[in-house]
Amino acid sequence: MNKIEIAEEKLHIYSGILLNYQEFEKGNHETISYDFTCPEFHELKEKYQLTAIVEKGSDFQKAKRLLHYFAPRLHHNSWYDNHIECNALKLLEYSLNNKEHGINCLNKSKILEECCLALQIYARRVSILPYSPYDYDNHVVVEIFDRQLNKWIMLDPTTDGYFIDENKLPLSLLEIRDRFANDEFVTFVTSTNRLDHLDNLRKKHMDINQYICKNFFYFMIDQECKFGEPEHRLIFCPTSYSVKKNKIANLKYRIKYLPEENKKMENKFKQSLSEMINSQEPSKTNIENMAKAPI
């Protein structure tokens, strides 16, 4: 099999997992807040000329221009240790146009989220996580709410792209997950792709499609979308799935198979494992709170 066929076979396996876990925990009714008034947003908007970058248009059009501006200017480093204060001002000062200072998807998404909020666009950082604990990888993206389309739309600042259906409609996280699970047309596209010959685009981006599908089992969203780190995160998870059990197995896996060049992270993983073992099963939030409009 060639690379596309191998990626498509993986996609079918991951889609089958999602099909068998389409029902989510009812959970609590905690809500997500969006703060456009943080004083640091004025500095962020002026220092990086965000208004000039986005020009005019819908929330999605503006956010997509931010996505395409920052994505190629932020070098990627999966093993970045999160030592810089997690806000757009500090992270951009450290990493923008600096290949020696790569950052991970968690921090790239924080930059995009805060730049959108600075421009009065509803935005939230979302961790997307896999079913299997034996996986070194998960991913973090951003969802923005487009008031013109009246819907959430996922943007990925690591790959400079988003997902569409057969009608070229940009999709939310839950819409993408549902389409993967039911084997319906959905594909990743970059912010600069011409949206014609969609089947060819789907094949071209098959590796990203399967990668994202793999990480679409459950979601974790910052509860306070604002400048700087949130105090809480909400978990949206399928029924009959233990996040605690998964996290413990994942941390043991990470420690056991930690690459030699990253051994400096071993103590951090061991501390996280000890804390997780002594914690309660995390509370889950009702999936309706993820789907509903913020306004």
Side-chain angles (χ1 to χ4, degrees), residues 179-214:
R179 283 184 164 270
F180 277 139
N182 292 293
D183 196 26
E184 296 173 353
F185 184 89
V186 57
T187 187
F188 171 84
V189 294
T190 70
S191 63
T192 57
N193 277 149
R194 288 172 55 90
L195 300 185
D196 48 15
H197 306 296
L198 295 186
D199 286 331
N200 290 341
L201 279 177
R202 181 178 178 272
K203 290 179 182 178
K204 178 181 179 180
H205 297 305
M206 188 59 71
D207 199 50
I208 295 179
N209 287 333
Q210 66 85 17
Y211 168 76
I212 293 294
C213 183
K214 185 265 292 185

Side-chain angles (χ1 to χ4, degrees), residues 54-87:
V54 301
E55 301 176 341
K56 296 181 180 180
S58 67
D59 294 319
F60 172 58
Q61 290 167 335
K62 291 178 180 179
K64 188 167 72 165
R65 291 185 190 116
L66 285 175
L67 172 76
H68 184 58
Y69 178 83
F70 285 112
R73 292 172 169 84
L74 297 170
H75 188 67
H76 193 73
N77 178 8
S78 298
W79 291 97
Y80 167 69
D81 61 4
N82 303 316
H83 68 280
I84 298 297
E85 189 176 341
C86 192
N87 64 68

Side-chain angles (χ1 to χ4, degrees), residues 199-261:
D199 286 331
N200 290 341
L201 279 177
R202 181 178 178 272
K203 290 179 182 178
K204 178 181 179 180
H205 297 305
M206 188 59 71
D207 199 50
I208 295 179
N209 287 333
Q210 66 85 17
Y211 168 76
I212 293 294
C213 183
K214 185 265 292 185
N215 285 314
F216 257 47
F217 188 73
Y218 71 102
F219 308 105
M220 186 163 60
I221 303 181
D222 294 350
Q223 186 170 12
E224 303 89 14
C225 302
K226 60 175 187 175
F227 184 85
E229 282 282 44
E231 283 75 40
H232 309 92
R233 292 183 173 89
L234 302 181
I235 295 174
F236 301 86
C237 182
T239 56
S240 305
Y241 184 80
S242 171
V243 172
K244 177 180 178 178
K245 180 180 178 181
N246 179 277
K247 287 286 189 182
I248 289 172
N250 178 252
L251 286 164
K252 288 180 178 179
Y253 173 82
R254 286 172 180 260
I255 293 166
K256 183 175 181 179
Y257 295 103
L258 189 64
E260 193 63 39
E261 63 269 23

Side-chain angles (χ1 to χ4, degrees), residues 40 80-95 103 106-108 110-111 114 125 227-229:
E40 295 89 351
Y80 167 69
D81 61 4
N82 303 316
H83 68 280
I84 298 297
E85 189 176 341
C86 192
N87 64 68
L89 286 172
K90 294 292 187 182
L91 288 167
L92 286 171
E93 181 181 339
Y94 173 77
S95 63
I103 57 175
L106 178 76
N107 292 276
K108 290 182 178 184
K110 188 59 179 169
I111 290 170
E114 290 188 5
R125 182 176 59 167
F227 184 85
E229 282 282 44

Side-chain angles (χ1 to χ4, degrees), residues 159-191:
T159 58
D160 189 15
Y162 57 101
F163 280 76
I164 60 171
D165 65 11
E166 68 277 9
N167 297 312
K168 306 176 185 178
L169 181 71
L171 301 174
S172 71
L173 287 163
L174 292 178
E175 289 171 331
I176 299 165
R177 190 187 197 278
D178 185 66
R179 283 184 164 270
F180 277 139
N182 292 293
D183 196 26
E184 296 173 353
F185 184 89
V186 57
T187 187
F188 171 84
V189 294
T190 70
S191 63

Side-chain angles (χ1 to χ4, degrees), residues 18 21-34 124-131 139 141 143 152 173-174 177 215-225 232-244 246-247 281-293:
L18 299 184
Y21 285 92
Q22 288 185 284
E23 184 178 350
F24 275 67
E25 293 281 0
K26 300 301 182 184
N28 61 59
H29 288 276
E30 295 283 341
T31 57
I32 301 167
S33 64
Y34 304 87
R124 58 195 188 190
R125 182 176 59 167
V126 186
S127 296
I128 59 176
L129 300 119
Y131 172 79
H139 198 41
V141 296
E143 269 195 315
W152 288 103
L173 287 163
L174 292 178
R177 190 187 197 278
N215 285 314
F216 257 47
F217 188 73
Y218 71 102
F219 308 105
M220 186 163 60
I221 303 181
D222 294 350
Q223 186 170 12
E224 303 89 14
C225 302
H232 309 92
R233 292 183 173 89
L234 302 181
I235 295 174
F236 301 86
C237 182
T239 56
S240 305
Y241 184 80
S242 171
V243 172
K244 177 180 178 178
N246 179 277
K247 287 286 189 182
E281 176 71 22
S283 175
K284 317 299 193 311
T285 301
N286 194 304
I287 196 66
E288 293 178 1
N289 287 18
M290 181 175 171
K292 70 180 182 180

